[in-house]
Amino acid sequence: MRIATWNVNSLTARLARVEEWIGYAQPDVLCLQETKQADAAFPHAAFTALGYETAHHGDGRWNGVALVSRVGLENVSVGLNSDDDDQGTRLIAADCGGVRVHSVYVPNGRSLDDEHYPAKLAWLARLRELLADTCSPEDPVAVCGDFNVAPEDRDVWDVTQFEGMTHVSQPERDALADLEAWGLVDVFRRLYDEGDLFSWWDYRGGSFHRHRGMRIDLVLVTEVLAARTGYALIDRNARKGDKPSDHTPVFIDVSEET
DNA sequence: ATGGTGGCCCGGCCA
């Protein structure tokens, strides 16, 4: 089963690129972030035509997350907690092909002295609570999306350029590590030891062509899935060409249980 | 050089 994640930076602007990518990458489950659509605007029919079921959680202009699956899509839930502010439409989860899949868009944080920064840390802590409340680390669980955190220094093009900035600060990395400590593996990193493997490049300044990016889009899975993951890829090709997102898709291939 | 690019949707926010 191929499980993918992609921050599309507006699905309205990106639909043709997403259809193209599904056509050649053939994901079984695709987690989308930053659809920037209200639920009523989500193009369910475009995915139905390709053989996929869909579920979307968005309120319009900002954020918005979706699940696209051709291996089933059941027991959909949205948001972090019904009695808590989830800082926008940033989480949707469902059972797809025997896996509890979560598409997440972690708040950006903006800057270390901004009120959105502690809110980002709190969001990550609440995500762990959600997993603890709704899943078991013994079960097949995937948490995929734009975490807005580079887990290690080798996940950014030049860490000296990020001093005092978000995405690399220790509290964010600790919050991500705490989430993983519940029982999740950054399986792409387990398979590849190299640095300079990025999933996001700023639109500005020719960052993509200068290899100035960050690895902030992650597929985190429980060990039962990590052990069956034989291949993973950041598909840089989707960052090229006409009207790309500033993020590119990441996917893993999980073999069937034997 | 305190910008740059792109998406929202048309003045300014957000990434």
Side-chain angles (χ1 to χ4, degrees):
Chain A
M1 181 163 77
R2 177 163 287 180
I3 303 173
T5 183
W6 193 3
N7 179 324
V8 293
N9 186 23
S10 169
L11 185 58
T12 306
R14 215 67 59 209
L15 184 58
R17 292 296 304 255
V18 173
E19 291 170 320
E20 173 195 35
W21 189 78
I22 288 174
Y24 72 75
Q26 293 292 308
D28 294 298
V29 181
L30 173 58
C31 301
L32 299 174
Q33 300 88 38
E34 279 206 90
T35 63
K36 297 186 177 180
Q37 290 172 327
D39 288 339
F42 186 83
H44 295 280
F47 296 101
T48 302
L50 299 173
Y52 291 82
E53 296 175 84
T54 49
H56 180 254
H57 179 46
D59 57 14
R61 187 168 181 185
W62 308 114
N63 313 323
V65 286
L67 288 166
V68 178
S69 172
R70 65 179 182 188
V71 291
L73 204 167
E74 297 172 341
N75 302 318
V76 175
S77 64
V78 300
L80 274 176
N81 285 300
S82 59
D83 59 346
D84 207 350
D85 172 25
D86 77 349
Q87 299 176 55
T89 49
R90 297 179 177 273
L91 187 149
I92 187 167
D95 297 324
C96 304
V99 179
R100 187 67 180 170
V101 182
H102 305 71
S103 177
V104 303
Y105 178 45
V106 177
N108 180 285
R110 302 190 188 182
S111 63
L112 299 189
D113 59 359
D114 192 289
E115 63 185 10
H116 291 86
Y117 176 75
K120 174 184 191 175
L121 300 178
W123 199 94
L124 282 164
R126 294 214 301 276
L127 176 56
R128 175 176 170 148
E129 290 173 15
L130 176 96
L131 294 174
D133 289 345
T134 59
C135 303
S136 163
E138 308 299 320
D139 290 338
V141 178
V143 183
C144 315
D146 177 359
F147 285 79
N148 273 314
V149 179
E152 300 175 276
D153 287 354
R154 60 181 163 168
D155 295 312
V156 301
W157 64 275
D158 180 357
V159 75
T160 68
Q161 301 293 316
F162 290 89
E163 281 179 30
M165 299 174 69
T166 60
H167 296 66
V168 302
S169 74
Q170 198 57 51
E172 290 166 84
R173 288 176 167 173
D174 289 347
L176 178 62
D178 194 48
L179 176 69
E180 293 177 351
W182 173 79
L184 296 169
V185 178
D186 179 355
V187 66
F188 180 90
R189 180 48 80 200
R190 178 180 283 189
L191 291 173
Y192 301 101
D193 199 42
E194 306 94 307
D196 293 333
L197 298 171
F198 306 135
S199 65
W200 172 87
W201 299 261
D202 201 307
Y203 283 122
R204 297 168 290 187
S207 296
F208 179 66
H209 296 287
R210 299 165 80 177
H211 307 294
R212 295 181 170 188
M214 310 176 77
R215 191 175 71 92
I216 56 177
D217 299 273
L218 308 176
V219 177
L220 306 181
V221 295
T222 47
E223 182 60 41
V224 64
L225 294 178
R228 287 158 40 202
T229 300
Y231 183 69
L233 185 75
I234 300 175
D235 183 6
R236 294 180 76 260
N237 285 318
R239 183 63 176 78
K240 304 174 183 175
D242 192 39
K243 286 183 75 70
S245 172
D246 46 354
H247 297 252
T248 210
V250 182
F251 67 76
I252 68 168
D253 288 342
V254 182
S255 64
E256 295 303 311
E257 236 169 332
T258 52

